[in-house]
Amino acid sequence: MTRARIYKCPQKATQSGKIRSHRWILDYGQSSPRSHDSLTGWVGCSETQTEVKLSFPTKDQAIQYAEKNSIACDLEEPGSHHYVVKNYEDNFHNNRKMNWTH
């Protein structure tokens, strides 16, 4: 069996809210290759563990669950987000770093 992965749920690209981005996910990896069914055209796998994703409110709870059930896992820490506050009037300042395009 491959190692499981514990990571923080990313923010949706189409949404500005952060309502579900505080959860931690334990995701089982895929240990066997997927097979192609020539009759139906579907792609499938013989193991059902790849479909399981467990969510936890904290990172510590996810790690404790993995240790309690002897699941080998890798922890992926989230990267830092750099948010620059800008005003609309900054587009019209004389000391702009970029040329005015319109």
Side-chain angles (χ1 to χ4, degrees):
M1 178 185 270
T2 61
R3 297 176 63 89
R5 182 172 75 122
I6 297 176
Y7 60 96
K8 194 167 186 180
C9 189
Q11 180 180 352
K12 303 270 187 199
T14 58
Q15 302 290 325
S16 62
K18 297 183 179 185
I19 189 76
R20 293 194 176 131
S21 64
H22 300 294
R23 294 182 181 163
W24 286 84
I25 307 294
L26 187 137
D27 186 8
Y28 291 96
Q30 179 180 339
S31 62
S32 65
R34 298 194 181 265
S35 59
H36 181 74
D37 186 5
S38 60
L39 182 63
T40 61
W42 290 12
V43 176
C45 189
S46 62
E47 59 183 351
T48 58
Q49 203 66 325
T50 58
E51 302 296 324
V52 175
K53 287 186 181 180
L54 302 173
S55 75
F56 299 93
T58 63
K59 172 177 63 171
D60 295 330
Q61 288 179 350
I63 293 171
Q64 286 175 359
Y65 177 83
E67 290 173 352
K68 179 181 175 185
N69 294 312
S70 4
I71 299 170
C73 63
D74 295 325
L75 180 66
E76 295 180 8
E77 293 287 343
S80 63
H81 295 285
H82 185 261
Y83 184 72
V84 178
V85 179
K86 292 184 179 180
N87 294 325
Y88 180 70
E89 67 185 26
D90 291 341
N91 292 326
F92 304 103
H93 278 290
N94 291 334
N95 58 355
R96 286 175 49 99
K97 294 192 185 221
M98 298 175 61
N99 292 332
W100 185 254
T101 58
H102 47 290

XYZ file of all heavy atoms in Angstrom:
834
model
N 0.842 -1.176 0.000
C 0.000 0.000 0.000
C 0.893 1.246 0.000
O 1.915 1.297 0.655
C -0.913 0.009 1.231
C -1.771 1.249 1.299
S -2.738 1.378 2.789
C -4.205 0.539 2.273
N 0.492 2.249 -0.739
C 1.251 3.492 -0.768
C 0.973 4.310 0.481
O 0.065 4.013 1.244
C 0.890 4.323 -2.007
O -0.501 4.632 -1.941
C 1.172 3.569 -3.272
N 1.718 5.351 0.628
C 1.565 6.204 1.801
C 0.390 7.153 1.610
O 0.122 7.620 0.513
C 2.839 6.987 2.022
C 4.027 6.091 2.322
C 5.296 6.880 2.440
N 5.294 7.820 3.540
C 5.685 7.535 4.770
N 6.093 6.322 5.057
N 5.677 8.449 5.720
N -0.289 7.427 2.710
C -1.384 8.389 2.684
C -0.798 9.795 2.729
O 0.378 9.991 3.032
C -2.314 8.157 3.862
N -1.626 10.768 2.448
C -1.186 12.159 2.401
C -2.100 12.989 3.284
O -3.323 12.885 3.191
C -1.262 12.619 0.952
C -0.808 14.005 0.692
C -0.746 14.253 -0.803
N -2.036 14.421 -1.395
C -2.425 15.503 -2.076
N -1.598 16.492 -2.252
N -3.625 15.568 -2.584
N -1.528 13.803 4.151
C -2.299 14.727 4.991
C -1.973 16.135 4.522
O -0.808 16.532 4.489
C -1.951 14.566 6.477
C -2.332 13.170 6.966
C -2.648 15.624 7.307
C -1.936 12.879 8.392
N -2.994 16.872 4.119
C -2.788 18.221 3.615
C -3.965 19.095 4.000
O -5.029 18.616 4.355
C -2.607 18.218 2.097
C -3.784 17.669 1.329
C -4.740 18.518 0.796
C -3.938 16.305 1.121
C -5.818 18.022 0.092
C -5.001 15.804 0.420
C -5.940 16.660 -0.100
O -7.009 16.160 -0.792
N -3.757 20.398 3.934
C -4.810 21.352 4.250
C -5.630 21.594 3.002
O -5.098 21.743 1.910
C -4.209 22.666 4.749
C -5.219 23.562 5.392
C -4.540 24.674 6.137
C -5.582 25.458 6.898
N -4.983 26.555 7.635
N -6.938 21.621 3.170
C -7.851 21.796 2.051
C -7.595 23.152 1.390
O -7.636 24.177 2.065
C -9.291 21.700 2.549
S -10.504 21.652 1.252
N -7.324 23.194 0.093
C -7.029 24.475 -0.552
C -8.285 25.311 -0.765
O -9.395 24.801 -0.808
C -6.419 24.065 -1.892
C -7.008 22.739 -2.168
C -7.207 22.079 -0.833
N -8.076 26.602 -0.912
C -9.186 27.513 -1.191
C -9.616 27.331 -2.638
O -8.793 27.126 -3.522
C -8.731 28.947 -0.952
C -9.792 29.978 -1.196
C -9.280 31.380 -0.952
O -8.188 31.566 -0.468
N -10.073 32.350 -1.304
N -10.900 27.383 -2.878
C -11.419 27.254 -4.235
C -10.934 28.424 -5.087
O -10.892 29.558 -4.632
C -12.939 27.242 -4.231
C -13.530 26.160 -3.374
C -13.736 24.942 -4.159
C -14.487 23.943 -3.305
N -14.389 22.634 -3.746
N -10.596 28.162 -6.328
C -10.090 29.211 -7.205
C -11.180 30.183 -7.623
O -10.902 31.335 -7.922
C -9.457 28.587 -8.440
N -12.412 29.738 -7.625
C -13.501 30.597 -8.083
C -14.201 31.322 -6.950
O -15.124 32.075 -7.202
C -14.541 29.763 -8.840
O -15.025 28.737 -7.972
C -13.935 29.143 -10.074
N -13.780 31.101 -5.722
C -14.428 31.716 -4.570
C -13.419 32.531 -3.768
O -12.256 32.166 -3.674
C -15.032 30.637 -3.658
C -16.036 29.755 -4.330
C -17.314 30.497 -4.654
O -17.734 31.360 -3.919
N -17.929 30.162 -5.771
N -13.871 33.613 -3.192
C -12.978 34.422 -2.377
C -13.092 34.074 -0.892
O -12.256 34.486 -0.105
C -13.285 35.904 -2.575
O -14.608 36.177 -2.165
N -14.112 33.342 -0.506
C -14.294 32.984 0.895
C -13.363 31.870 1.334
O -12.795 31.149 0.531
N -13.203 31.730 2.635
C -12.301 30.716 3.184
C -13.030 29.776 4.128
O -12.451 29.277 5.075
C -11.160 31.401 3.925
C -10.316 32.246 3.019
C -9.168 32.846 3.760
C -8.340 33.669 2.822
N -7.155 34.198 3.415
N -14.310 29.511 3.884
C -15.133 28.746 4.812
C -14.653 27.301 4.967
O -14.636 26.764 6.052
C -16.620 28.807 4.410
C -17.502 28.203 5.479
C -16.857 28.097 3.112
C -17.716 29.051 6.654
N -14.239 26.657 3.913
C -13.838 25.251 3.996
C -12.339 25.055 3.852
O -11.879 23.940 3.685
C -14.569 24.448 2.925
C -16.049 24.385 3.197
C -16.724 23.335 2.363
N -18.112 23.269 2.753
C -19.118 23.291 1.919
N -18.902 23.377 0.639
N -20.351 23.212 2.350
N -11.590 26.128 3.895
C -10.154 26.001 3.698
C -9.400 25.728 4.993
O -8.184 25.704 5.002
C -9.604 27.272 3.042
O -9.773 28.369 3.896
N -10.089 25.526 6.104
C -9.424 25.271 7.381
C -9.394 23.785 7.723
O -8.868 23.410 8.761
C -10.127 26.042 8.503
C -10.128 27.524 8.270
N -8.982 28.274 8.259
C -11.134 28.383 8.013
C -9.280 29.528 8.033
N -10.583 29.632 7.870
N -9.945 22.943 6.891
C -9.969 21.499 7.166
C -8.672 20.847 6.726
O -7.999 21.299 5.819
C -11.120 20.849 6.401
C -12.460 21.288 6.866
C -13.518 20.567 6.100
N -14.840 21.001 6.516
C -15.913 20.787 5.829
N -15.851 20.140 4.702
N -17.071 21.201 6.271
N -8.357 19.755 7.382
C -7.211 18.931 7.006
C -7.739 17.627 6.432
O -8.657 17.029 6.966
C -6.320 18.673 8.219
C -5.540 19.881 8.603
C -5.968 20.911 9.382
C -4.223 20.207 8.193
N -4.990 21.853 9.486
C -3.906 21.444 8.773
C -3.275 19.571 7.394
C -2.674 22.057 8.578
C -2.050 20.189 7.216
C -1.762 21.411 7.790
N -7.175 17.176 5.321
C -7.652 16.008 4.588
C -6.620 14.890 4.681
O -5.426 15.119 4.497
C -7.884 16.356 3.100
C -8.782 17.573 2.952
C -8.441 15.164 2.339
C -10.187 17.387 3.419
N -7.086 13.687 4.993
C -6.255 12.487 4.912
C -6.710 11.745 3.669
O -7.854 11.304 3.578
C -6.402 11.605 6.153
C -5.443 10.430 6.207
C -4.881 10.305 7.609
C -6.089 9.151 5.798
N -5.814 11.644 2.701
C -6.138 11.084 1.392
C -5.256 9.864 1.151
O -4.030 9.961 1.228
C -5.873 12.157 0.332
C -6.319 11.744 -1.046
O -6.966 10.691 -1.171
O -6.011 12.480 -1.994
N -5.873 8.718 0.893
C -5.113 7.508 0.608
C -4.591 7.567 -0.821
O -5.268 8.006 -1.732
C -5.997 6.266 0.762
C -6.393 5.997 2.185
C -7.608 6.441 2.681
C -5.555 5.305 3.034
C -7.977 6.195 3.986
C -5.915 5.055 4.344
C -7.124 5.506 4.805
O -7.480 5.274 6.091
N -3.389 7.113 -1.020
C -2.800 7.108 -2.353
C -3.271 5.919 -3.171
O -3.976 5.037 -2.699
N -2.876 5.911 -4.411
C -3.242 4.835 -5.325
C -2.080 3.856 -5.404
O -0.976 4.224 -5.784
C -3.525 5.434 -6.697
C -3.891 4.427 -7.735
C -4.165 5.112 -9.060
O -4.456 6.286 -9.114
N -4.059 4.356 -10.113
N -2.320 2.599 -5.042
C -1.227 1.629 -5.017
C -1.206 0.732 -6.248
O -0.172 0.173 -6.576
C -1.320 0.766 -3.761
O -2.521 0.033 -3.769
N -2.322 0.576 -6.925
C -2.323 -0.248 -8.135
C -2.725 0.613 -9.326
O -3.465 1.584 -9.175
C -3.302 -1.420 -7.976
O -4.622 -0.933 -7.868
N -2.243 0.266 -10.505
C -2.578 1.081 -11.674
C -4.049 0.933 -12.054
O -4.683 -0.090 -11.804
C -1.663 0.529 -12.762
C -1.327 -0.841 -12.324
C -1.346 -0.829 -10.826
N -4.583 1.953 -12.648
C -5.977 1.910 -13.109
C -6.064 1.090 -14.389
O -5.131 1.059 -15.189
C -6.491 3.319 -13.339
C -6.496 4.119 -12.066
C -7.304 5.377 -12.224
N -7.292 6.150 -11.003
C -8.225 6.092 -10.080
N -9.246 5.278 -10.224
N -8.155 6.826 -9.000
N -7.194 0.443 -14.577
C -7.380 -0.392 -15.761
C -8.485 0.192 -16.636
O -9.417 0.818 -16.147
C -7.743 -1.824 -15.348
O -8.933 -1.801 -14.590
N -8.371 -0.029 -17.912
C -9.341 0.478 -18.876
C -10.261 -0.668 -19.293
O -9.805 -1.721 -19.714
C -8.612 1.046 -20.101
C -9.531 1.594 -21.124
N -10.195 2.781 -20.958
C -9.912 1.114 -22.325
C -10.937 3.023 -22.016
N -10.777 2.021 -22.861
N -11.565 -0.441 -19.164
C -12.548 -1.434 -19.580
C -12.900 -1.174 -21.037
O -13.454 -0.126 -21.380
C -13.793 -1.334 -18.703
C -14.793 -2.442 -18.989
O -14.472 -3.336 -19.799
O -15.884 -2.407 -18.391
N -12.572 -2.101 -21.910
C -12.786 -1.890 -23.343
C -14.265 -1.952 -23.732
O -14.667 -1.370 -24.738
C -12.003 -2.926 -24.147
O -12.440 -4.226 -23.785
N -15.091 -2.612 -22.932
C -16.504 -2.730 -23.264
C -17.259 -1.430 -22.987
O -17.999 -0.928 -23.840
C -17.124 -3.881 -22.466
C -18.600 -4.167 -22.727
C -18.799 -4.593 -24.183
C -19.110 -5.239 -21.792
N -17.057 -0.860 -21.816
C -17.796 0.350 -21.456
C -17.001 1.629 -21.669
O -17.577 2.706 -21.740
C -18.226 0.295 -19.982
O -17.059 0.224 -19.169
C -19.125 -0.880 -19.718
N -15.682 1.529 -21.738
C -14.848 2.705 -21.892
C -14.509 3.376 -20.572
O -13.899 4.431 -20.564
N -14.918 2.787 -19.477
C -14.647 3.372 -18.173
C -13.247 3.009 -17.713
O -12.692 1.984 -18.094
C -15.658 2.885 -17.146
C -17.035 3.403 -17.342
C -17.526 4.063 -18.429
C -18.114 3.290 -16.427
N -18.834 4.377 -18.252
C -19.238 3.906 -17.021
C -18.258 2.740 -15.185
C -20.465 3.993 -16.399
C -19.483 2.820 -14.569
C -20.565 3.440 -15.172
N -12.696 3.841 -16.879
C -11.407 3.562 -16.259
C -11.683 3.277 -14.793
O -12.360 4.047 -14.116
C -10.446 4.761 -16.412
C -9.144 4.498 -15.689
C -10.199 5.048 -17.870
N -11.167 2.157 -14.298
C -11.460 1.765 -12.932
C -10.247 1.217 -12.223
O -9.161 1.104 -12.781
N -10.469 0.864 -10.977
C -9.406 0.334 -10.141
C -10.018 -0.732 -9.235
O -11.198 -0.661 -8.889
C -8.797 1.460 -9.323
S -7.325 0.991 -8.452
N -9.222 -1.705 -8.847
C -9.743 -2.793 -8.032
C -9.816 -2.436 -6.554
O -10.481 -3.118 -5.795
C -8.872 -4.035 -8.213
O -7.557 -3.754 -7.782
N -9.155 -1.363 -6.129
C -9.172 -1.002 -4.724
C -10.111 0.185 -4.496
O -10.180 1.105 -5.293
C -7.774 -0.662 -4.242
C -7.138 0.472 -4.986
C -5.722 0.723 -4.535
O -5.299 0.134 -3.535
O -5.053 1.516 -5.194
N -10.828 0.148 -3.400
C -11.767 1.221 -3.085
C -11.169 2.262 -2.149
O -11.773 3.295 -1.926
C -13.030 0.650 -2.429
O -12.651 -0.056 -1.249
C -13.754 -0.274 -3.370
N -9.994 2.002 -1.631
C -9.377 2.918 -0.673
C -8.996 4.252 -1.313
O -8.878 5.257 -0.636
C -8.140 2.249 -0.079
C -7.712 2.773 1.252
C -8.702 2.494 2.354
O -9.894 2.485 2.169
N -8.179 2.273 3.535
N -8.795 4.272 -2.633
C -8.428 5.523 -3.304
C -9.577 6.518 -3.315
O -9.363 7.706 -3.506
C -8.002 5.253 -4.753
O -9.072 4.615 -5.441
C -6.774 4.386 -4.800
N -10.803 6.063 -3.101
C -11.967 6.949 -3.100
C -12.225 7.587 -1.734
O -13.052 8.470 -1.620
C -13.218 6.161 -3.505
C -13.121 5.503 -4.865
C -12.996 6.515 -5.977
O -13.615 7.595 -5.881
O -12.270 6.231 -6.937
N -11.492 7.150 -0.706
C -11.741 7.615 0.656
C -10.913 8.866 0.938
O -9.693 8.884 0.745
C -11.391 6.514 1.682
C -11.535 7.027 3.095
C -12.259 5.300 1.456
N -11.589 9.929 1.385
C -10.935 11.152 1.852
C -11.573 11.512 3.182
O -12.767 11.761 3.251
C -11.122 12.295 0.867
C -10.313 12.169 -0.373
C -10.435 13.406 -1.224
C -9.627 13.243 -2.474
N -9.708 14.419 -3.327
N -10.774 11.518 4.229
C -11.263 11.854 5.552
C -10.884 13.290 5.879
O -9.762 13.714 5.612
C -10.655 10.908 6.588
C -10.914 9.422 6.366
C -10.124 8.602 7.366
C -12.387 9.127 6.489
N -11.818 14.046 6.461
C -11.500 15.425 6.829
C -11.487 15.563 8.344
O -12.276 14.934 9.048
C -12.496 16.396 6.204
O -13.724 16.344 6.870
N -10.581 16.411 8.819
C -10.396 16.648 10.249
C -10.322 18.147 10.479
O -9.810 18.886 9.642
C -9.098 15.993 10.732
C -9.077 14.504 10.560
C -8.550 13.927 9.423
C -9.589 13.685 11.539
C -8.532 12.566 9.259
C -9.578 12.319 11.385
C -9.053 11.753 10.241
N -10.795 18.615 11.645
C -10.720 20.050 11.916
C -9.298 20.546 12.192
O -8.984 21.689 11.912
C -11.608 20.255 13.130
C -11.982 18.921 13.623
C -11.586 17.905 12.623
N -8.436 19.685 12.711
C -7.069 20.117 13.011
C -6.059 19.122 12.456
O -6.386 17.953 12.200
C -6.826 20.247 14.529
O -6.969 18.955 15.127
C -7.778 21.236 15.160
N -4.834 19.588 12.297
C -3.755 18.741 11.802
C -3.421 17.653 12.804
O -3.162 16.500 12.426
C -2.538 19.618 11.516
C -1.285 18.854 11.178
C -0.130 19.754 10.833
C 0.275 20.625 11.965
N 1.522 21.355 11.734
N -3.452 17.989 14.090
C -3.109 17.015 15.124
C -4.080 15.845 15.151
O -3.677 14.701 15.362
C -3.071 17.688 16.493
C -1.959 18.716 16.580
O -0.932 18.528 15.896
O -2.121 19.688 17.331
N -5.353 16.114 14.927
C -6.341 15.030 14.897
C -6.106 14.102 13.706
O -6.273 12.882 13.816
C -7.747 15.600 14.848
C -8.190 16.225 16.141
C -9.585 16.795 16.053
O -10.168 16.898 14.980
N -10.133 17.178 17.202
N -5.712 14.656 12.578
C -5.425 13.822 11.409
C -4.211 12.944 11.650
O -4.205 11.755 11.303
C -5.217 14.707 10.182
N -3.180 13.494 12.277
C -1.973 12.715 12.571
C -2.273 11.638 13.603
O -1.821 10.493 13.476
C -0.847 13.652 13.048
C -0.414 14.560 11.901
C 0.331 12.865 13.577
C 0.527 15.654 12.310
N -3.053 11.966 14.631
C -3.413 10.980 15.651
C -4.224 9.834 15.052
O -4.029 8.674 15.407
C -4.203 11.641 16.766
C -3.378 12.500 17.678
C -4.225 13.226 18.698
O -5.448 13.101 18.717
N -3.577 14.007 19.557
N -5.135 10.150 14.128
C -5.927 9.097 13.479
C -5.016 8.162 12.672
O -5.177 6.946 12.705
C -6.982 9.724 12.571
C -7.792 8.701 11.816
C -8.884 8.092 12.413
C -7.460 8.328 10.515
C -9.628 7.149 11.736
C -8.196 7.386 9.836
C -9.276 6.800 10.447
O -10.002 5.856 9.765
N -4.055 8.748 11.949
C -3.147 7.935 11.140
C -2.275 7.048 12.029
O -2.056 5.875 11.719
C -2.282 8.836 10.273
N -1.799 7.592 13.138
C -0.975 6.786 14.039
C -1.781 5.698 14.724
O -1.307 4.581 14.914
C -0.322 7.690 15.086
C 0.756 8.585 14.524
C 1.275 9.580 15.539
O 0.687 9.677 16.647
O 2.263 10.269 15.226
N -3.016 6.021 15.106
C -3.868 5.042 15.796
C -4.197 3.856 14.889
O -4.235 2.710 15.336
C -5.159 5.730 16.232
C -6.139 4.824 16.934
C -7.389 5.584 17.305
C -8.431 4.656 17.892
N -9.692 5.361 18.142
N -4.402 4.113 13.602
C -4.753 3.052 12.653
C -3.551 2.549 11.868
O -3.713 1.860 10.878
C -5.830 3.557 11.693
C -7.115 3.826 12.428
O -7.577 3.007 13.210
N -7.694 4.988 12.203
N -2.337 2.892 12.305
C -1.066 2.508 11.662
C -1.068 2.749 10.162
O -0.781 1.863 9.379
C -0.663 1.083 11.926
O -1.512 0.315 12.621
N -1.374 3.966 9.799
C -1.362 4.384 8.398
C -0.094 5.195 8.187
O 0.133 6.206 8.840
C -2.601 5.249 8.074
C -3.879 4.460 8.308
C -2.543 5.747 6.650
C -5.135 5.300 8.244
N 0.739 4.745 7.275
C 1.947 5.505 6.939
C 1.521 6.717 6.130
O 0.789 6.601 5.145
C 2.899 4.643 6.128
N 1.960 7.899 6.552
C 1.480 9.105 5.869
C 2.568 10.152 5.761
O 3.550 10.139 6.497
C 0.273 9.677 6.595
S 0.613 10.205 8.261
N 2.389 11.042 4.794
C 3.249 12.198 4.591
C 2.445 13.442 4.902
O 1.296 13.568 4.483
C 3.744 12.264 3.147
C 4.644 11.090 2.801
O 5.392 10.643 3.680
O 4.586 10.628 1.644
N 3.054 14.377 5.614
C 2.392 15.622 5.990
C 2.848 16.725 5.048
O 4.043 16.942 4.869
C 2.720 15.978 7.433
C 2.105 17.254 7.966
C 0.588 17.121 8.046
C 2.670 17.578 9.322
N 1.899 17.426 4.431
C 2.201 18.543 3.543
C 1.707 19.825 4.203
O 0.511 20.051 4.320
C 1.519 18.354 2.190
C 2.032 17.180 1.416
C 1.340 17.015 0.081
O 0.563 17.904 -0.314
O 1.583 15.991 -0.560
N 2.643 20.647 4.623
C 2.297 21.923 5.246
C 1.864 22.908 4.163
O 2.434 22.926 3.081
C 3.495 22.485 6.007
C 3.893 21.675 7.210
C 2.925 21.821 8.368
O 2.132 22.773 8.385
O 2.973 20.958 9.261
N 0.871 23.751 4.460
C 0.450 24.733 3.460
C 1.480 25.845 3.317
O 2.186 26.184 4.268
C -0.867 25.270 4.029
C -0.776 25.029 5.483
C 0.053 23.794 5.661
N 1.562 26.396 2.121
C 2.466 27.514 1.877
C 1.889 28.802 2.433
O 0.709 28.896 2.769
N 2.725 29.805 2.536
C 2.259 31.089 3.053
C 1.637 31.898 1.918
O 2.087 31.844 0.772
C 3.411 31.853 3.675
O 4.378 32.135 2.689
N 0.612 32.627 2.246
C -0.078 33.456 1.266
C 0.358 34.901 1.450
O 0.395 35.409 2.572
C -1.588 33.356 1.439
C -2.111 31.990 1.143
N -2.241 31.513 -0.131
C -2.512 30.996 1.959
C -2.707 30.286 -0.090
N -2.884 29.939 1.171
N 0.694 35.538 0.371
C 1.114 36.932 0.407
C 0.003 37.765 -0.206
O -0.295 37.649 -1.388
C 2.416 37.099 -0.374
C 2.972 38.480 -0.284
N 2.783 39.407 -1.268
C 3.688 39.086 0.688
C 3.372 40.532 -0.918
N 3.931 40.355 0.266
N -0.627 38.587 0.606
C -1.751 39.398 0.165
C -1.339 40.862 0.181
O -0.932 41.386 1.211
C -2.963 39.170 1.074
C -4.200 39.899 0.638
C -4.902 39.493 -0.486
C -4.655 40.999 1.341
C -6.034 40.168 -0.890
C -5.786 41.670 0.947
C -6.475 41.255 -0.178
O -7.589 41.917 -0.584
N -1.406 41.513 -0.964
C -1.037 42.917 -1.075
C -2.313 43.746 -1.143
O -3.157 43.532 -2.021
C -0.182 43.154 -2.341
C 0.159 44.623 -2.497
C 1.066 42.307 -2.291
N -2.444 44.682 -0.220
C -3.611 45.554 -0.204
C -3.379 46.690 -1.191
O -2.364 47.383 -1.126
C -3.855 46.115 1.210
C -5.039 47.040 1.220
C -4.056 44.975 2.192
N -4.298 46.849 -2.129
C -4.195 47.906 -3.129
C -5.485 48.696 -3.158
O -6.556 48.166 -2.910
C -3.949 47.320 -4.510
C -2.611 46.664 -4.678
C -2.435 46.217 -6.096
C -1.088 45.577 -6.308
N -0.901 45.131 -7.684
N -5.347 49.945 -3.474
C -6.498 50.810 -3.665
C -6.669 51.090 -5.145
O -5.718 51.009 -5.930
C -6.307 52.136 -2.919
C -6.282 51.932 -1.425
O -6.980 51.073 -0.903
N -5.471 52.720 -0.743
N -7.854 51.511 -5.517
C -8.109 51.836 -6.913
C -7.282 53.046 -7.344
O -6.821 53.129 -8.475
C -9.600 52.106 -7.111
C -9.965 52.455 -8.527
C -9.903 51.503 -9.527
C -10.345 53.746 -8.858
C -10.226 51.815 -10.827
C -10.669 54.070 -10.154
C -10.614 53.100 -11.137
O -10.927 53.412 -12.422
N -7.060 53.969 -6.426
C -6.315 55.183 -6.777
C -4.852 54.910 -7.059
O -4.169 55.730 -7.678
C -6.437 56.209 -5.664
C -5.763 55.799 -4.382
C -5.999 56.776 -3.254
O -7.009 57.474 -3.275
O -5.144 56.819 -2.362
N -4.328 53.743 -6.650
C -2.942 53.400 -6.944
C -2.701 53.258 -8.447
O -1.562 53.347 -8.899
C -2.546 52.102 -6.237
C -2.480 52.268 -4.738
O -2.375 53.428 -4.283
O -2.548 51.246 -4.024
N -3.742 53.021 -9.218
C -3.591 52.919 -10.667
C -3.211 54.249 -11.296
O -2.704 54.287 -12.416
C -4.889 52.422 -11.304
C -5.183 51.005 -10.927
O -4.269 50.207 -10.761
N -6.444 50.685 -10.783
N -3.465 55.359 -10.620
C -3.284 56.678 -11.210
C -2.131 57.464 -10.591
O -1.959 58.628 -10.905
C -4.588 57.476 -11.075
C -5.750 56.755 -11.682
C -6.677 56.100 -10.875
C -5.918 56.696 -13.048
C -7.746 55.428 -11.431
C -6.981 56.023 -13.612
C -7.894 55.390 -12.805
N -1.329 56.853 -9.737
C -0.201 57.552 -9.128
C 0.889 57.824 -10.159
O 1.054 57.077 -11.125
C 0.394 56.734 -7.981
C -0.347 56.894 -6.700
N -0.339 58.053 -5.975
C -1.129 56.022 -6.013
C -1.089 57.895 -4.898
N -1.581 56.669 -4.902
N 1.651 58.889 -9.936
C 2.749 59.238 -10.846
C 3.951 58.319 -10.672
O 4.750 58.175 -11.591
C 3.177 60.688 -10.609
C 2.116 61.657 -11.048
O 1.316 61.347 -11.929
N 2.096 62.828 -10.434
N 4.099 57.712 -9.534
C 5.267 56.863 -9.260
C 4.969 55.385 -9.503
O 5.467 54.528 -8.792
C 5.761 57.095 -7.837
C 4.690 56.814 -6.796
O 3.556 56.536 -7.141
N 5.062 56.917 -5.536
N 4.180 55.103 -10.517
C 3.881 53.702 -10.860
C 5.138 53.007 -11.357
O 5.943 53.594 -12.050
C 2.822 53.635 -11.959
C 1.449 53.961 -11.496
C 0.486 53.985 -12.661
N 0.598 52.825 -13.511
C -0.206 51.766 -13.463
N -1.186 51.739 -12.613
N -0.031 50.766 -14.270
N 5.268 51.735 -11.034
C 6.438 50.969 -11.494
C 6.267 50.483 -12.923
O 7.228 50.224 -13.612
C 6.673 49.790 -10.562
C 7.061 50.249 -9.193
C 7.565 49.127 -8.381
C 7.814 49.589 -7.053
N 8.449 49.620 -6.100
N 5.035 50.358 -13.365
C 4.759 49.890 -14.732
C 4.201 51.046 -15.546
O 3.629 51.985 -15.010
C 3.765 48.728 -14.713
C 4.280 47.512 -13.970
S 3.065 46.218 -13.829
C 2.744 45.835 -15.511
N 4.357 50.990 -16.857
C 3.838 52.027 -17.727
C 2.320 51.980 -17.777
O 1.698 50.915 -17.656
C 4.399 51.863 -19.141
C 5.871 52.134 -19.186
O 6.383 52.895 -18.383
N 6.560 51.508 -20.120
N 1.759 53.110 -17.996
C 0.303 53.203 -18.150
C -0.059 52.669 -19.535
O 0.530 53.045 -20.527
C -0.140 54.655 -18.003
C -1.612 54.831 -18.022
C -2.360 55.341 -19.040
C -2.537 54.467 -17.016
N -3.668 55.341 -18.739
C -3.818 54.789 -17.482
C -2.435 53.879 -15.765
C -4.967 54.583 -16.753
C -3.577 53.672 -15.042
C -4.820 54.018 -15.526
N -1.019 51.751 -19.617
C -1.282 51.071 -20.884
C -2.515 51.592 -21.611
O -2.764 51.206 -22.727
C -1.464 49.574 -20.648
O -2.524 49.369 -19.730
C -0.180 48.975 -20.114
N -3.328 52.435 -20.991
C -4.514 52.895 -21.704
C -4.888 54.297 -21.340
O -4.285 55.102 -20.866
C -5.725 52.013 -21.461
C -5.989 51.645 -20.036
N -5.178 50.788 -19.348
C -6.956 52.019 -19.179
C -5.651 50.639 -18.136
N -6.716 51.378 -18.000
